[in-house]
């Protein structure tokens, strides 16, 4: 029987299925919740006609702050409590790279936030573009550090430092200077600034936290994102050196990210709902065919359980175009996606 307003939410939790949500273009746009998102969350938390609660996690390609900071923000936006135990962002799996490299360059995000994230992951020696500009202000002819940036940037002697890897954690706030610095390192001898390789094949590897060329924010039309920086950097490297640059992207649609999500969901269901077996079906709700739908469909072929892709019309995908990767269902909003999944189960 349908619950009437004022009926207390259900307390029985289903162990059969779960939801995973993309954030930008599904739940949030430009820092504001998509109105239907709040109701969708309420439905999963027991305000539904089935009298059931459904476990869920969040898998975003976004980033730029610590997981706990982002969860506090998401809790306010969606009017629910979101825990880091149910949250993965683009750079979360990069944590596993912390042991592999000593000195790394971390690019992107507001101020010092990404340095703080990287150090929190256990990276031992984190350099930012600001540190490099502070050391040699001629590095970027058209960018001067603000007094705040100057204060936060660290004094290092880059004549004695080899940068072993480059991690783009979040969107660059200054493409020209960040690309100049990345290009300098790619063309260097073993990541030593101020040197030039003769072969251009001894620079550090570059890792991006995701590969979304466009994303959905407050503008009516999509905006360029980190994947666009990646394309641009690869083209520029080719133009300058004549060689191909191979870079690596984390995030969706990478299988590794979905494996990470599987482990997170398993732990979350165990810790909060005492469910010890995997769900039969995970409904993944996304707005970007190239990352959300592609990743879910490919993972579905790998996984022992079903990963069911649902595309919404509130973000990157717009009606009138044909998605490059076909979802199992297309619906208007995240609320319709939740209803679709739940109806399918009963
Ligand atoms: O920069 C973030 C964006 O590219 C995608 O975020 O939540 O849609 O995976 P999301
Ligand atoms: Mg999205």
């Amino acid at each position: 029987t349908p619950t009437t307003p004022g009926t207390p939410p259900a307390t029985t939790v289903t162990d059969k299925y779960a939801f995973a949500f993309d954030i930008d273009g599904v739940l949030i746009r430009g820092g504001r919740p998509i109105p239907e998102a709040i109701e969708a969350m309420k439905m999963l938390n027991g305000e539904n006609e089935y009298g059931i609660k459904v476990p869920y996690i969040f898998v975003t390609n976004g980033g730029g702050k610590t997981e706990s900071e982002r969860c506090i923000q998401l809790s306010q936006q969606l009017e629910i409590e979101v825990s880091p135990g149910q949250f993965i962002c683009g750079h979360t799996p990069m944590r596993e790279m912390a042991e592999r490299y000593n000195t790394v360059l971390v690019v992107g995000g507001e101020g010092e936030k990404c340095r703080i994230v990287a150090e929190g992951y256990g990276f031992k020696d984190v350099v930012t573009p600001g540190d490099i500009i502070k050391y040699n202000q001629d590095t970027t002819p058209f960018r001067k550090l603000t007094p705040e940036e100057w204060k936060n940037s660290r004094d290092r002697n880059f004549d004695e430092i080899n940068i072993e890897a480059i991690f783009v954690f979040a969107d660059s706030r200054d493409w020209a200077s960040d690309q100049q610095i990345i290009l300098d390192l790619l063309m260097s001898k073993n990541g030593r600034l101020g040197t030039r390789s003769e072969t251009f094949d001894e620079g550090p590897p570059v890792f991006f936290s995701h590969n979304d060329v466009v994303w959905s924010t407050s503008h009516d039309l999509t905006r360029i994102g980190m994947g666009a920086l990646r394309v641009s950097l690869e083209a520029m490297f080719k133009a300058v050196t004549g060689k191909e640059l191979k870079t690596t992207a984390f995030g969706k649609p990478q299988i590794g990210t979905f494996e990470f999500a599987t482990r997170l969901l398993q732990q979350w269901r165990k810790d909060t709902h005492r469910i010890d077996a995997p769900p039969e079906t995970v409904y993944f709700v996304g707005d970007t065919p190239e990352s959300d739908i592609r990743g879910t469909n490919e993972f579905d072929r790998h996984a022992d359980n079903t990963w069911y892709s649902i595309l919404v019309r509130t973000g990157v995908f717009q009606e009138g175009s044909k998605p490059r990767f076909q979802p199992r269902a297309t619906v208007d909003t995240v609320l319709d996606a939740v209803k679709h999944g739940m109806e399918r189960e009963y």
Side-chain angles (χ1 to χ4, degrees), residues 21-23 26-29 31-42 44-45 56-58 70-82 86-87 334:
F21 295 99
D22 171 59
I23 295 181
V26 172
L27 301 167
I28 306 284
R29 260 182 90 160
R32 290 187 183 190
I34 290 172
E36 290 83 356
I38 293 168
E39 214 184 314
M41 293 299 121
K42 286 192 177 141
L44 295 175
N45 283 307
Y56 54 91
I57 58 167
F58 302 92
R70 187 70 216 269
C71 286
I72 291 170
Q73 188 188 26
L74 202 56
S75 304
Q76 288 162 353
Q77 290 164 325
L78 298 178
E79 302 175 14
I80 47 165
E81 206 185 302
V82 180
Q86 60 187 147
F87 178 85
V334 62

Side-chain angles (χ1 to χ4, degrees), residues 10-62:
T11 49
T12 321
V13 180
T14 180
D15 60 358
K16 268 192 73 203
Y17 64 101
F19 275 82
F21 295 99
D22 171 59
I23 295 181
D24 291 305
V26 172
L27 301 167
I28 306 284
R29 260 182 90 160
R32 290 187 183 190
I34 290 172
E36 290 83 356
I38 293 168
E39 214 184 314
M41 293 299 121
K42 286 192 177 141
M43 246 190 114
L44 295 175
N45 283 307
E47 292 184 36
N48 58 64
E49 61 191 275
Y50 312 102
I52 212 109
K53 280 172 112 175
V54 188
Y56 54 91
I57 58 167
F58 302 92
V59 185
T60 177
N61 272 352

Side-chain angles (χ1 to χ4, degrees), residues 18-326:
F19 275 82
F21 295 99
D22 171 59
I23 295 181
D24 291 305
V26 172
L27 301 167
I28 306 284
R29 260 182 90 160
R32 290 187 183 190
I34 290 172
E36 290 83 356
I38 293 168
E39 214 184 314
M41 293 299 121
K42 286 192 177 141
M43 246 190 114
L44 295 175
N45 283 307
E47 292 184 36
N48 58 64
E49 61 191 275
Y50 312 102
I52 212 109
K53 280 172 112 175
V54 188
Y56 54 91
I57 58 167
F58 302 92
V59 185
T60 177
N61 272 352
K65 39 181 80 107
T66 63
E67 284 78 359
S68 39
E69 191 181 343
R70 187 70 216 269
C71 286
I72 291 170
Q73 188 188 26
L74 202 56
S75 304
Q76 288 162 353
Q77 290 164 325
L78 298 178
E79 302 175 14
I80 47 165
E81 206 185 302
V82 180
S83 148
Q86 60 187 147
F87 178 85
I88 304 177
C89 68
H91 45 66
T92 306
M94 284 177 165
R95 162 179 301 170
E96 294 171 344
M97 309 284 278
E99 286 301 305
R100 204 179 296 178
Y101 304 104
N102 191 46
T103 302
V104 299
L105 174 72
V106 165
V107 177
E110 296 286 342
E112 290 291 288
K113 282 189 187 250
C114 286
R115 171 148 44 203
I116 293 165
V117 174
E119 288 175 346
Y121 287 171
F123 282 96
K124 294 176 275 296
D125 184 22
V126 181
V127 166
T128 67
D131 301 347
I132 293 168
I133 301 171
K134 189 174 186 180
Y135 175 74
N136 181 354
Q137 293 175 67
D138 297 326
T139 304
T140 50
F142 305 117
R143 178 175 173 200
K144 297 281 163 274
L145 296 181
T146 63
E148 174 81 5
E149 287 171 331
W150 185 269
K151 190 176 97 245
N152 289 332
S153 298
R154 296 180 186 170
D155 289 307
R156 304 292 302 265
N157 180 3
F158 287 103
D159 289 339
E160 291 172 356
I161 295 169
N162 284 28
I163 292 174
E164 293 168 26
I166 300 164
F167 288 89
V168 183
F169 265 50
D171 282 303
S172 165
R173 298 324 198 239
D174 188 328
W175 275 42
S177 57
D178 286 347
Q179 292 202 83
Q180 177 68 67
I181 289 166
I182 297 172
L183 189 67
D184 278 340
L185 285 171
L186 292 173
M187 293 171 71
S188 72
K189 289 189 169 129
N190 295 310
R192 176 70 60 95
L193 284 163
T195 65
R196 275 284 190 256
S197 165
E198 279 154 32
T199 48
F200 303 130
D201 58 3
E202 50 183 320
V206 192
F207 301 98
F208 289 87
S209 69
H210 67 83
N211 189 37
D212 291 344
V213 179
V214 295
W215 64 300
S216 176
T217 182
S218 45
H219 199 281
D220 285 346
L221 304 174
T222 56
R223 302 290 88 190
I224 52 170
M226 193 186 293
L229 182 78
R230 185 186 188 195
V231 174
S232 163
L233 185 74
E234 289 179 352
M236 193 168 55
F237 185 82
K238 176 94 199 228
V240 175
T241 66
K243 295 217 163 168
E244 296 292 335
L245 175 67
K246 288 253 175 297
T247 62
T248 305
F250 284 72
K252 300 166 288 182
Q254 298 304 316
I255 291 294
T257 299
F258 285 82
E259 283 166 351
F260 205 104
T262 301
R263 296 196 294 273
L264 185 89
L265 182 60
Q266 185 173 342
Q267 197 64 43
W268 175 248
R269 284 164 34 107
K270 195 168 168 190
D271 293 348
T272 58
H273 308 297
R274 296 205 202 99
I275 304 170
D276 213 1
E280 283 167 30
T281 306
V282 179
Y283 294 95
F284 196 107
V285 188
D287 69 307
T288 307
E290 287 74 8
S291 28
D292 302 314
I293 307 307
R294 179 180 186 177
T296 305
N297 292 353
E298 280 175 10
F299 191 60
D300 179 51
R301 271 173 241 132
H302 268 68
D304 296 327
N305 55 358
T306 298
W307 281 67
Y308 186 103
S309 54
I310 307 178
L311 181 62
V312 293
R313 298 187 176 96
T314 47
V316 167
F317 169 70
Q318 295 289 329
E319 205 52 30
S321 58
K322 194 177 170 315
R324 281 204 16 227
F325 298 88
Q326 278 298 326

